């Protein structure tokens, strides 16, 4: 992908597969895509670029409803500030057209006067965010780190998936839920996500899984 500010994004093999899966499929197919990998493997960047690629694909198909709206959820707002927003800022320093504003509650990708993607950040520990999400409309829902990391995150409960899925209804946008996450424990609900979707009346959502091998990102850049 060639970006307007000059840098070239060359994803690792698994992230590339993940991005293509965001773009592909029948227009009316609702997809949930899981990107699993260890910390530092580039999951958040992969999600940012998947959203940018989807916006680009929509533009080429004549979509007029920009920006693409993305609801980005974490277990707590503190973890958004600790790990998610720094990933956005790091990519901005590398040349991506990212702007973060509203005290870190929003970000855009693309030209400032007419952005292609608009990210809205939600921390599930904040009552105002939970209330706002229920009436929200987006084209893409991101649940980051649904599986807890020891000492860093508590994870996201399956109920948030059911609530958030009803917000994915931006007109003209193929419905996508993205789950970038650490490897979960053997008993974590995300390993049976199809069951939870069915119980929530969402069994029409198609699930696709992508697992990054440890060190894949480092080996990718060494080859480059």
């Amino acid at each position: 992908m060639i970006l307007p500010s000059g840098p070239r994004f060359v994803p690792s093999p698994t992230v590339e597969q993940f991005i293509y899966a965001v773009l592909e499929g029948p227009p009316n197919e609702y997809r949930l895509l899981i990107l699993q990998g260890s910390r530092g493997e580039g999951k958040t960047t992969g999600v940012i670029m998947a959203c940018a690629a989807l916006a680009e694909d929509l533009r080429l198909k004549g979509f007029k409803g920009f920006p693409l709206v993305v609801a980005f959820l974490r277990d707590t707002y503190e973890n958004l500030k600790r790990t998610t927003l720094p990933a956005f800022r790091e990519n901005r320093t590398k040349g991506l057209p990212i702007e973060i504003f509203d005290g870190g509650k929003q970000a855009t990708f693309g030209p400032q006067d007419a952005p292609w993607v608009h990210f809205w950040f939600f921390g599930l520990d904040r009552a105002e965010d939970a209330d706002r999400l229920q009436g929200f409309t987006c084209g893409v829902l991101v649940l980051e780190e649904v599986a807890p990391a020891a000492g860093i995150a508590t994870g996201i409960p399956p109920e948030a998936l059911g609530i958030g899925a009803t917000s994915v209804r931006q007109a003209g946008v193929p419905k996508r839920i993205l789950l970038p996450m650490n490897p979960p424990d053997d008993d974590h609900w995300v390993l049976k996500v199809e069951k939870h979707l069915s119980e929530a009346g969402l069994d029409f959502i198609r699930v696709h899984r992508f697992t990054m091998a440890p060190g894949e990102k480092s080996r990718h850049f060494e080859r480059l």
Side-chain angles (χ1 to χ4, degrees):
M1 179 183 297
I2 303 293
L3 301 170
S5 54
R8 181 177 180 86
F9 174 66
V10 184
S12 62
T14 303
V15 172
E16 182 176 21
Q17 294 171 13
F18 172 77
I19 291 174
Y20 274 115
V22 172
L23 303 180
E24 294 171 346
N28 295 326
E29 183 177 273
Y30 196 154
R31 287 188 167 192
L32 184 153
L33 302 115
I34 298 172
L35 179 61
Q36 179 179 315
S38 303
R39 293 182 63 197
E41 291 290 347
K43 300 187 297 293
T44 302
T45 297
V47 166
I48 293 171
M49 298 311 297
C51 294
L54 179 57
E56 182 179 30
D57 188 62
L58 288 168
R59 180 185 64 80
L60 293 173
K61 293 176 179 176
F63 179 67
K64 302 298 182 183
F66 286 106
L68 168 65
V69 178
V70 179
F72 207 113
L73 277 65
R74 279 297 304 259
D75 53 345
T76 68
Y77 193 72
E78 186 61 34
N79 282 330
L80 270 170
K81 293 190 295 182
R82 181 186 298 174
T83 59
T84 304
L85 291 176
F88 274 75
R89 293 190 181 97
E90 180 181 350
N91 279 292
R92 185 177 188 275
T93 64
K94 293 178 179 178
L96 295 189
I98 291 173
E99 295 296 331
I100 302 171
F101 57 99
D102 190 20
K105 298 176 183 177
Q106 301 180 55
T108 56
F109 185 106
Q112 291 188 40
D113 57 342
W116 307 320
V117 185
H118 191 153
F119 296 92
W120 295 77
F121 299 106
F122 297 86
L124 294 183
D125 60 331
R126 290 157 52 104
E128 63 268 31
D129 281 1
D131 293 340
R132 189 162 53 116
L133 179 63
Q134 295 202 31
F136 200 74
T137 296
C138 62
V140 177
L141 171 69
V142 180
L143 303 180
E144 186 171 57
E145 301 299 7
V146 297
I152 299 175
T154 58
I156 294 176
E159 292 78 14
L161 173 60
I163 295 172
T166 62
S167 298
V168 185
R169 56 180 185 268
Q170 185 177 1
V173 177
K175 296 181 178 181
R176 299 290 184 261
I177 301 176
L178 310 182
L179 271 68
M181 68 177 196
N182 291 308
D185 292 334
D186 292 341
D187 60 349
H188 195 270
W189 67 263
V190 76
L191 297 177
K192 299 179 180 178
V193 67
E194 291 90 347
K195 173 177 176 290
H196 290 279
L197 288 171
S198 179
E199 291 175 348
L202 301 169
D203 52 355
F204 52 85
I205 297 178
R206 296 292 171 260
V207 178
H208 303 264
R209 291 178 170 84
F210 303 86
T211 301
M212 304 172 72
E216 178 179 317
K217 178 182 175 182
S218 298
R219 291 191 297 272
H220 174 64
F221 282 109
E222 287 172 1
R223 287 194 298 269
L224 293 178

